[in-house]
């Protein structure tokens, strides 16, 4: 009967009945106010209902409330069991797990500090009027924790159940008079989308591999479950995979989450016609066949039917990835170069070093492999080479091979002062703009907009071939073909090896660039102009 407890109860009721969905307070605030107030109301209410008479029992009530509250926020399974338990008492809940709600737990300490000292077991028995008031508040408090008014949007089940509001960007409604089992798979955090490209055909471009582990729901009749969609990296789109027992899968794809921001939705929707923007539903007919209802602009049927690839969209026959082992030599003498049938070259190397001013061998000869176009391997036996590797922030790898002098193992330099030969192997470039300066020209990508996107098998990455052109040149660069450009006493020879444009990047399995847009392998040979 303290002002603190009665005030917390009043806040709980006002927030659930009037503040939520009213626009008077931000959704984030109304989502937490009930949790804060509930941590003050629930332990005292439990203690009163159980008639506890000791501080140890009061402490147990606080611990029990905190444990149950934390459990249902962290475990979907426990939340479902709690909902079922409440159903036994006539008040089933649909509970949304939200670990951020754990911020309310410190209010249990506030309850202990403010309210427990006023529960003095030595006080004389309450007078009848006080006992009546306590009983009334207890009943009202118990009701406030399991029910709310229809105006708040929670919804009232005709059979007598009450369902709390749900919070998310979109909702899925069970438009049947019986329970349905659903599973919801969010977009994996390591899958990156180009929202504009994916929006052209989400059902085909977002395969099952793009989605994570499923959350399982048993949804009572006419109730809603909300999905909180997280923006995909710097973009504003997101997706989820929805399926269930006897329910055909659907992909929910939201191109712009700012148009469907997170909000509070009613716990129940009784009519399929009431499903507006951001709401979908599933309904079974008399023959047990399921049908999807609601917002058709975000609903897509998964498809694995790949459109026919025109000949003009096929990757060139000479296209291949550049690659080399993770172990890089230092300074070495090239003993022999042997091409292989797989497009890779075997380099027989002998490590060398300077010993007392003389060139000396170190260890035994060994084979080292370099996968690159033939025009990009301009090496001859007995040459001394220096191998250096660097890594970029977006997954780019660069191997630099420099021709050395036998005297001191220094780079060979022409009369002009330029290095006689430096070969740069660039793997996984994500932007032609960054590659162009290596040849002293502007490099541009020409996407094949009429070419269908290709979905990689067993990986969520989606890509297609892209042509590259050098500014001022009449034709596209052809994989494996060398094109030279003169620039201030130097000659830059460009050799394209591999080029792709990406609509979806699965960073768990994709090779090359670790950034969306492009994946390009390129070679540049720098030599002095003769």
């Amino acid at each position: 009967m303290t002002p603190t407890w009665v005030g917390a109860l009043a806040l709980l009721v006002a927030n659930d009945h009037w503040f939520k969905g009213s626009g008077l307070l931000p959704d984030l605030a109304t989502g937490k106010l009930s949790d804060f107030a509930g941590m003050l109301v629930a332990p005292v209410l439990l203690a009163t209902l159980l008639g506890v008479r000791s501080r140890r029992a009061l402490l147990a009530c606080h611990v029990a409330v905190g444990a149950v509250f934390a459990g249902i926020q962290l475990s979907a399974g426990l939340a479902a069991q709690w909902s079922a338990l409440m159903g036994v008492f006539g008040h089933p809940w649909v509970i949304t797990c939200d670990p951020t709600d754990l911020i309310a737990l410190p209010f249990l300490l506030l309850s202990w500090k403010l309210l427990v000292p006023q529960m003095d077991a030595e006080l004389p028995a309450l007078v009848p009027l006080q006992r009546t008031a306590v009983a009334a508040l207890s009943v009202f408090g118990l009701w406030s924790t399991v029910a709310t008014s229809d105006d708040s949007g929670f919804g009232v089940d005709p059979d007598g159940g009450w369902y709390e509001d749900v919070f998310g960007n979109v909702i899925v409604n069970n438009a049947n008079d019986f329970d349905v089992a659903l599973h919801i798979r969010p977009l994996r955090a390591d899958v990156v989308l180009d929202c504009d490209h994916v929006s052209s055909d989400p059902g085909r471009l977002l395969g099952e591999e793009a989605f994570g582990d499923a959350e399982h729901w048993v949804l009572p009749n006419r109730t809603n479950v909300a999905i909180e969609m997280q923006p995909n990296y710097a973009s504003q789109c997101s997706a989820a995979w929805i399926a269930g027992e006897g329910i055909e899968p659907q992909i929910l794809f939201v191109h712009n989450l700012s148009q469907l921001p997170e909000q509070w939705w009613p716990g129940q929707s009784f009519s399929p016609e009431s499903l507006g923007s951001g709401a979908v539903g599933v309904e079974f007919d008399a023959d047990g066949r399921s049908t999807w209802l609601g917002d058709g602009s975000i609903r897509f049927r998964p498809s694995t039917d790949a459109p026919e690839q025109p000949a003009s969209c096929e990757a060139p026959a000479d296209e291949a990835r550049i690659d080399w082992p993770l172990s890089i030599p230092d300074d070495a003498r090239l003993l022999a170069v042997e091409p292989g049938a797989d497009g890779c070259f075997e380099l027989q190397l002998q490590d060398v070093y300077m010993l007392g001013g003389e060139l000396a061998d170190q260890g035994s000869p060994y084979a080292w492999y370099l996968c690159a176009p033939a025009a990009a391997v301009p090496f001859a036996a007995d040459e001394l080479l220096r191998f250096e590797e660097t890594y970029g922030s977006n997954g780019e790898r660069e191997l630099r091979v420099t021709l050395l002098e036998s005297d001191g193992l220094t780079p060979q330099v022409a009369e002009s002062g330029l290095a006689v030969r430096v070969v740069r192997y660039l793997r996984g470039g994500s932007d032609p703009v960054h590659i162009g300066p290596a040849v002293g020209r502007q490099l541009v990508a020409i996407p094949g907009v009429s070419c269908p996107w290709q979905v990689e098998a067993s990986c969520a990455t989606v890509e297609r071939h892209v042509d590259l052109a050098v500014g001022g040149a009449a034709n596209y660069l052809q994989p494996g073909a060398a094109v030279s450009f003169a620039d201030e006493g130097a000659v830059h020879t460009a050799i394209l090896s591999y080029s792709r444009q990406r609509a979806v990047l699965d960073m768990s399995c994709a090779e090359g660039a670790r950034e969306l847009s492009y994946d390009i392998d390129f070679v540049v040979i720098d030599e002095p102009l003769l």
Side-chain angles (χ1 to χ4, degrees):
M1 294 184 65
T2 63
T4 302
W5 193 87
V6 174
L9 177 60
L11 177 60
L12 177 64
V13 174
N15 188 60
D16 285 345
H17 285 259
W18 298 298
F19 293 160
K20 285 184 178 179
S22 68
L24 296 175
L25 294 174
D27 287 340
L28 181 61
T30 57
K32 305 303 179 189
L33 278 179
S34 292
D35 296 328
F36 297 159
M39 292 299 99
L40 293 174
V41 170
V44 176
L45 179 61
L46 179 61
T48 303
L49 294 174
L50 296 179
V52 303
R53 304 292 292 171
S54 69
R55 283 180 173 262
R56 178 174 296 181
L58 289 172
L59 178 60
C61 291
H62 282 73
V63 171
V65 168
V68 171
F69 180 75
I72 63 177
Q73 303 306 329
L74 296 174
S75 169
L78 184 58
Q81 293 175 6
W82 182 258
S83 178
L85 177 62
M86 292 299 100
V88 173
F89 295 98
H91 292 288
W93 294 350
V94 176
I95 300 172
T96 303
C97 296
D98 184 358
T100 65
D101 285 349
L102 298 181
I103 194 175
L105 286 177
F107 279 75
L108 286 173
L109 180 61
L110 187 62
S111 170
W112 181 266
K113 292 291 186 181
L114 294 181
L115 300 175
V116 170
Q118 301 190 48
M119 301 178 189
D120 193 338
E122 300 303 322
L123 289 176
L126 294 173
V127 297
L129 181 60
Q130 289 176 310
R131 288 198 299 270
T132 301
V134 169
L137 285 173
S138 298
V139 171
F140 186 65
L142 181 61
W143 171 85
S144 72
T145 63
V146 297
T148 182
S149 74
D150 189 43
D151 292 338
S152 71
F154 273 53
V156 184
D157 188 336
D159 296 329
W162 300 80
Y163 297 90
E164 66 174 2
D165 282 355
V166 292
F167 184 75
N169 302 91
V170 300
I171 58 169
V172 181
N173 172 250
N174 172 15
N176 302 280
D177 293 324
F178 49 83
D179 295 357
V180 298
L182 284 176
H183 62 259
I184 300 172
R185 298 175 59 192
L187 190 70
R188 284 181 19 229
D190 53 1
V191 172
V192 190
L193 308 183
D194 183 306
C195 299
D196 292 336
H197 290 317
V198 171
S199 66
S200 66
D201 193 358
R204 187 178 74 85
L205 301 186
L206 294 176
E208 283 196 68
E209 295 82 5
F211 299 92
D213 295 335
E215 293 181 354
H216 298 274
W217 296 84
V218 176
L219 208 58
N221 62 300
R222 311 294 174 175
T223 58
N224 300 320
V225 60
I227 305 175
E228 296 183 60
M229 291 187 166
Q230 299 301 319
N232 189 254
Y233 286 80
S235 61
Q236 278 296 310
C237 63
S238 192
W241 178 286
I242 315 295
E245 293 182 12
I247 301 172
E248 289 192 359
Q250 290 279 286
I251 292 173
L252 302 186
F253 174 74
V254 180
H255 190 192
N256 191 341
L257 287 174
S258 65
Q259 297 177 358
L260 283 177
E262 291 183 326
Q263 59 179 302
W264 285 100
W265 301 81
Q268 289 180 289
S269 298
F270 295 101
S271 169
E273 292 74 21
S274 68
L275 300 176
S277 178
V280 302
V282 62
E283 184 178 49
F284 285 87
D285 61 18
D287 296 324
R289 292 188 295 265
S290 65
T291 302
W292 283 95
L293 313 167
D295 190 347
S297 68
I298 65 171
R299 230 180 348 99
F300 301 89
R301 181 177 177 271
S303 172
T304 57
D305 297 334
E308 184 177 352
Q309 181 87 325
S312 60
C313 298
E314 294 287 350
D318 294 332
E319 184 180 73
R321 296 228 67 138
I322 294 173
D323 206 0
W324 58 87
L326 295 177
S327 176
I328 306 299
D330 291 323
D331 296 343
R333 178 186 293 110
L334 180 61
L335 303 179
V337 182
E338 296 292 338
D342 59 355
C344 298
F345 290 80
E346 180 184 287
L347 279 61
Q348 287 291 329
L349 299 177
Q350 170 64 62
D351 288 341
V352 297
Y353 69 108
M354 298 304 297
L355 177 64
E358 298 292 332
L359 191 64
D361 293 344
Q362 184 175 25
S364 301
Y366 58 94
W368 191 79
Y369 295 90
L370 175 63
C371 302
V377 187
F379 308 123
D382 291 331
E383 286 185 338
L384 295 172
L385 305 174
R386 173 167 293 159
F387 297 82
E388 301 168 290
E389 185 177 31
T390 57
Y391 293 85
S393 59
N394 294 317
E396 310 97 327
R397 295 171 63 199
E398 177 178 342
L399 175 67
R400 182 186 293 258
V401 183
T402 305
L403 186 63
L404 301 179
E405 297 278 7
S406 60
D407 183 13
L409 291 179
T410 57
Q412 286 192 28
V413 179
E415 292 182 1
S416 62
L418 297 176
V420 170
R421 187 176 68 230
V422 177
V423 186
R424 300 171 59 190
Y425 301 92
L426 312 174
R427 173 183 164 91
S430 59
D431 195 333
V433 172
H434 300 152
I435 300 173
V439 294
R441 297 291 188 278
Q442 181 184 15
L443 190 65
V444 295
I446 313 297
V449 293
S450 62
C451 298
W453 293 100
Q454 302 298 306
V455 181
E456 286 192 15
S458 69
C459 188
T461 294
V462 176
E463 57 187 17
R464 63 186 176 190
H465 175 73
V466 63
D467 290 313
L468 295 184
V470 176
N475 301 314
Y476 298 141
L477 296 177
Q478 297 301 313
V483 181
S484 297
F485 305 93
D487 182 26
E488 297 182 359
V491 175
H492 306 295
T493 300
I495 306 166
L496 174 64
S497 184
Y498 181 92
S499 57
R500 290 284 188 274
Q501 182 187 19
R502 286 169 164 172
V504 179
L505 170 61
D506 186 344
M507 292 192 290
S508 70
C509 55
E511 296 186 27
R514 309 290 291 175
E515 189 174 271
L516 199 59
S517 66
Y518 300 100
D519 182 22
I520 301 170
D521 289 359
F522 205 82
V523 183
V524 179
I525 304 174
D526 294 328
E527 299 171 298
L529 183 63
L530 300 179

